């Protein structure tokens, strides 16, 4: 049987560095007040001995677990198949890793999942939560608030529980939609259709509102409901062509929806963009650059949104309650601040071949 070597202790590090145990503890736990020369000796001893802090003991001292729950209000089949979530999780993961925090992914699909997530958050396992992809009447905001953990939300909130200090990060969905529809109008398209996302999510509702800002008098027959999936885009596109075969443009609520719409247009013998121009939303490169033809779309910084969500939460954990979100001018000079607890990132239209 192979014997396991004993783990290096705090005392061993102190002896190697020639300092007190208390000094080692302060350096390892990130406390201030240690001269840089001593701190460097401690860090060198930690590396030489391969010392790994006991996380349980460290948590007792710092009252931090260095773990953050990332809660997606979607089933796992959606999260692991949609590149949107991969990009957002990549941004969150990069920011947490850079600050030595662990990502704990929690997914919700039904009532039992909500109860499980609520118990986990209330159990003191994590320092805070990042919550995104909420739907109307979703119980998650209430569960998170009752758990008492600092939280940052992804997407504009759409609930009224009498509390105004909600911290969130979003993109300018309404403005991006307006830019897309104005671009189609500038091409001379007069019968512009819209395939929505699920309207129980604020991003989809805001994109529909942006469409209607430009096309206030649109024929209701030119609006079809989708669900942010390629299959939903196919169904909606068939419905639109059956109702309005004379349509000459489509604004799709996201790139997956647009990809589905393009497949149906090709099946029906419609040339893109000659007969029908198409614009999507997101600029997810695995989708937008591989459609046939490549997709003109509204770009939002999905990975950047995830990164900012994590940054705001970690800043709140260091400085106090998460309600103190501030703009980070150094890293994101283009991000307009819409309130003390909101960051709304700009969107831009990316021209490719479909419009």
């Amino acid at each position: 049987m192979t014997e396991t070597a004993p783990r290096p202790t705090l005392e061993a590090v102190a002896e190697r560095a020639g300092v007190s145990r208390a000094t080692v503890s302060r350096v390892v736990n990130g406390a201030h007040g240690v001269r840089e020369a001593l701190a460097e000796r401690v860090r060198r001893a930690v590396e030489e001995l391969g010392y790994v802090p006991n996380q349980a003991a460290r948590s007792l001292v710092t009252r931090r677990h260095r773990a953050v729950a990332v809660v997606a209000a979607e089933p796992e089949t959606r999260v692991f198949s949609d590149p949107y979530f991969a990009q957002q999780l990549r941004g969150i993961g990069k920011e947490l890793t850079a600050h030595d925090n662990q990502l704990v992914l929690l997914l919700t699909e039904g009532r039992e999942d909500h109860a499980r997530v609520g118990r986990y958050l209330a159990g003191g396992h994590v320092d805070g939560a990042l919550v995104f992809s909420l739907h109307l009447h979703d119980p998650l905001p209430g569960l998170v608030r009752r758990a008492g953990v600092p939280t940052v939300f992804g997407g504009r909130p759409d609930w009224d529980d009498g509390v105004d200090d909600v911290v969130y990060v979003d993109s300018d969905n309404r403005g991006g939609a307006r830019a897309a529809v104005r671009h189609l109008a500038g091409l001379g398209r007069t019968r512009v259709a819209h395939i929505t996302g699920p309207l129980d999510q604020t991003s989809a509702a805001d994109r529909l509102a942006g469409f209607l800002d430009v096309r206030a008098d649109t024929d209701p027959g030119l609006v079809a409901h989708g669900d942010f999936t390629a299959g939903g885009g196919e169904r909606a596109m068939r419905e639109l062509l059956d109702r309005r075969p004379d349509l000459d443009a489509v604004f799709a609520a996201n790139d997956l929806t647009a990809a589905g719409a393009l497949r149906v247009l090709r099946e029906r013998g419609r040339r893109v963009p000659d007969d029908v121009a198409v614009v999507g939303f997101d600029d997810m490169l695995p989708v937008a650059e591989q459609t046939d033809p490549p997709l003109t779309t509204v770009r939002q910084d999905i990975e950047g949104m995830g990164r900012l969500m994590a940054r705001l939460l970690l800043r709140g954990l260091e400085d106090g309650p998460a309600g103190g979100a501030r703009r980070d001018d150094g890293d994101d000079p283009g991000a307009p601040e819409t309130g003390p607890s909101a960051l709304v990132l700009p969107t831009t239209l990316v021209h490719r071949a479909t419009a």
Side-chain angles (χ1 to χ4, degrees), residues 166-181:
V166 176
V167 183
Y168 71 91
V169 176
D170 202 0
S171 290
D172 184 8
N173 292 293
R174 190 165 184 165
R178 285 196 295 261
V181 181

Side-chain angles (χ1 to χ4, degrees), residues 7 9-11 21 25-26 28-29 51-66:
R7 292 176 56 182
T9 64
L10 207 65
E11 289 76 9
R21 185 184 188 281
S25 180
R26 286 199 296 273
V28 168
N29 290 309
Y51 172 75
V52 177
N54 182 306
Q55 188 58 45
R58 187 176 182 180
S59 295
L60 289 174
V61 175
T62 64
R63 299 187 182 277
R64 288 279 302 276
H65 300 278
R66 305 203 75 81

Side-chain angles (χ1 to χ4, degrees), residues 7-42:
R7 292 176 56 182
T9 64
L10 207 65
E11 289 76 9
V13 175
E15 183 178 353
R16 174 68 66 93
V19 299
S20 69
R21 185 184 188 281
T23 297
V24 174
S25 180
R26 286 199 296 273
V27 173
V28 168
N29 290 309
H32 301 292
V34 179
R35 295 199 311 273
E36 180 56 31
L38 291 181
E40 179 57 32
R41 279 162 53 187
V42 171

